[in-house]
Amino acid sequence: MAASLQAVREAALDGRMHNIITRRAQLEALQQTLLDKVDAIQDAICTDTGYVANEAAAEYLLTLNTLKEYHQSLDIDRASLDEYAITRGEDAVSRRDNLGIVYIVPTRYTVFYSVLVAVAGGLTAGNCIVIEFPNTLRALPALIKKLLESSLDRSTIAFVSTPATDEDLGTHHIRLHQEDRLPGKVVAVVDRTANINQVAEALVTACFSFGGRSPYTPDIVFVNEYIKEPFLMALVQTSVSFASNASVMQGDEGMLEKKTQEGGGLRVVSSLGRGKIVEAGRLDLKALPDNPTGAQLLVHTARSLDHAIDMSNMVGNLRAAYVFADNMSAKYLTQFINARVSFVNHIPATILVGPSAPEQVAFDRSVRYPTTVFSIPRPTYISPTPLSQSVTDILRAKSAADLRSKLVLHTSELGLSTQRPLGGGVGFFEQGILTGLGLFSISMLVGVSALGYWAWSMVAKHGSRI
């Protein structure tokens, strides 16, 4: 075992990061180092990735903001109250313990943000950190190592060039493989009620920024057939104007050419700007790559909301869905599209940077890794619940009569209410029914009016003869 790992194991066993003041101090030192090295960091990002200055600056800004979010979550007064809750006779419901060591296997996509957010999340939860960085000539791994070692307690951070075994890390650790993506794809649905120009800007930014390699880049866009042509024109115009603000990344051209030559129903609408806009004649799941390989925006026609829902769910268990529509249609779409997280009428730029969010917790828009990922719930209770007391009374009944009286007493307030709320507002289907009834009523009114006019004219005609 490497000496650095031995030091980290000892620090984890000693509880070196348990103290909340120590954790805050570590985050503050790291943030100050990043502020001091702003130029070196952005230069290294551009050198390793080919990103333009805008994208490097965005990654740097998100990293600083994440450190701030974690730092603000460490409330010293709140932590003190929670720690001594039992001494005050209160339940410590929210108590959590650290895992010990967080072992990080970084992704190569936006590696600076991805590593720093995982490190900060692990430290905030009270853990020590081990990062696996293979030997490489790239600039970022060496810079990240230098920044962390100069900022953090050297006994709480270690680096290895080859995979560490469970025996090396000890019993209490968690492995975070950032390259592991959640199953499924990402879809976008554009209804005819959407603002075409705003949707085009959001989708071009999501698909063409950072080389189109984000795990939350839309794999396919379903657009209503009534607005498909103006929507494609808006995409082309937006992609051309976006060209100067996005990095050039070569995608998987071979797959696209092969599908086009084989009659796979793919048509290149535009290859201007920093990526391709492609129209799909039919839904071919094999045309969707397992991992994003370049800036490509794939568009498919949808006949209706239900058609868009069916095709979205055919794509698979979705990591995310972006829905562009009016509020009622958006509610219907997000209700029935089986996506882990849905965004209505926007694609947050923050989601495009970093690895996939962990599956075991709800998606957090502030930080990619909530501290609950790196900790274990350890609630402590001192107050018995009323139900527990009721069950205790029943178990301690001395006779059948005593049991019967206690059971009647404790069940007297457990009857279920038979009152039901009135129906809610007008939903999607109700709106369709009311529209149909309205059209039918109008037709009937016109018919009755015409019949009445005819009868009146006939009476008037025959009456004049008499």
Side-chain angles (χ1 to χ4, degrees), residues 89-133:
E90 301 174 1
D91 295 333
V93 180
S94 58
R95 179 189 165 211
R96 301 186 71 90
D97 272 354
N98 65 312
L99 291 166
I101 295 175
V102 176
Y103 184 84
I104 303 170
V105 182
T107 176
R108 294 191 63 173
Y109 172 71
T110 55
V111 62
F112 182 78
Y113 170 84
S114 299
V115 171
L116 267 294
V117 68
V119 169
L123 292 176
T124 302
N127 299 283
C128 297
I129 309 294
V130 176
I131 304 174
E132 181 186 313
F133 267 144

Side-chain angles (χ1 to χ4, degrees), residues 299-316:
V299 180
H300 192 285
T301 304
R303 297 188 300 271
S304 64
L305 296 180
D306 289 319
H307 188 213
I309 291 171
D310 292 340
M311 290 191 297
S312 297
N313 291 332
M314 283 177 59
V315 171

Side-chain angles (χ1 to χ4, degrees), residues 105-410:
V105 182
T107 176
R108 294 191 63 173
Y109 172 71
T110 55
V111 62
F112 182 78
Y113 170 84
S114 299
V115 171
L116 267 294
V117 68
V119 169
L123 292 176
T124 302
N127 299 283
C128 297
I129 309 294
V130 176
I131 304 174
E132 181 186 313
F133 267 144
N135 294 324
T136 177
L137 297 177
R138 292 185 297 133
L140 277 172
L143 178 61
I144 292 172
K145 180 178 180 181
K146 181 180 178 180
L147 294 174
L148 292 177
E149 287 181 339
S150 63
S151 305
L152 306 179
D153 184 339
R154 294 292 293 271
S155 65
T156 62
I157 182 79
F159 297 85
V160 294
S161 58
T162 58
T165 65
D166 290 343
E167 183 179 357
D168 292 334
L169 299 174
T171 306
H172 305 291
H173 69 272
I174 180 176
R175 292 179 181 269
L176 182 64
H177 292 265
Q178 294 186 323
E179 283 290 358
D180 293 346
R181 297 181 182 273
L182 297 179
K185 307 292 183 183
V186 179
V187 302
V189 177
V190 184
D191 184 52
R192 56 179 160 178
T193 58
N195 185 311
I196 293 177
N197 293 326
Q198 291 181 2
V199 177
E201 291 180 1
L203 289 174
V204 167
T205 301
C207 291
F208 295 170
S209 294
F210 303 99
R213 282 173 163 77
S214 171
Y216 292 100
T217 292
D219 293 289
I220 189 168
V221 179
F222 297 113
V223 59
N224 187 278
E225 59 185 351
Y226 291 102
I227 61 168
K228 184 182 72 172
E229 293 305 323
F231 175 68
L232 290 175
M233 292 179 61
L235 287 178
V236 173
Q237 294 173 356
T238 305
S239 66
V240 173
S241 63
F242 188 75
S244 61
N245 294 322
S247 54
V248 179
M249 288 290 178
Q250 297 299 322
D252 189 355
E253 304 290 344
M255 175 63 74
L256 176 60
E257 293 179 2
K258 182 179 179 182
K259 287 293 178 182
T260 304
Q261 293 171 359
E262 293 176 352
L266 297 183
R267 179 177 71 90
V268 177
V269 177
S270 172
S271 58
L272 301 174
R274 300 290 174 149
K276 282 184 168 60
I277 299 171
V278 182
E279 182 182 4
R282 65 173 184 269
L283 182 59
D284 183 4
L285 299 182
K286 295 181 181 179
L288 304 179
D290 292 333
N291 296 311
T293 56
Q296 176 177 301
L297 207 163
L298 184 62
V299 180
H300 192 285
T301 304
R303 297 188 300 271
S304 64
L305 296 180
D306 289 319
H307 188 213
I309 291 171
D310 292 340
M311 290 191 297
S312 297
N313 291 332
M314 283 177 59
V315 171
N317 186 22
L318 304 172
R319 285 196 300 272
Y322 307 118
V323 171
F324 299 91
D326 61 31
N327 291 347
M328 288 299 296
S329 300
K331 178 265 181 188
Y332 182 63
L333 288 167
T334 55
Q335 181 176 352
F336 293 103
I337 292 178
N338 299 322
R340 185 168 173 268
V341 61
S342 298
F343 296 93
V344 176
N345 290 328
H346 75 293
I347 300 178
T350 54
I351 199 177
L352 302 176
V353 179
S356 298
E359 191 173 15
Q360 64 269 33
V361 294
F363 188 94
D364 192 318
R365 292 191 295 173
S366 298
V367 292
R368 191 57 47 94
Y369 296 113
T371 53
T372 53
V373 175
F374 305 116
S375 60
I376 304 173
R378 302 279 195 201
T380 304
Y381 300 100
I382 193 172
S383 305
T385 64
L387 178 60
S388 175
Q389 190 61 52
S390 298
V391 173
T392 300
D393 290 344
I394 288 175
L395 292 176
R396 293 178 178 176
K398 303 300 184 180
S399 62
D402 186 25
L403 173 61
R404 188 162 46 251
S405 63
K406 288 183 176 180
L407 188 59
V408 169
L409 174 64
H410 291 304

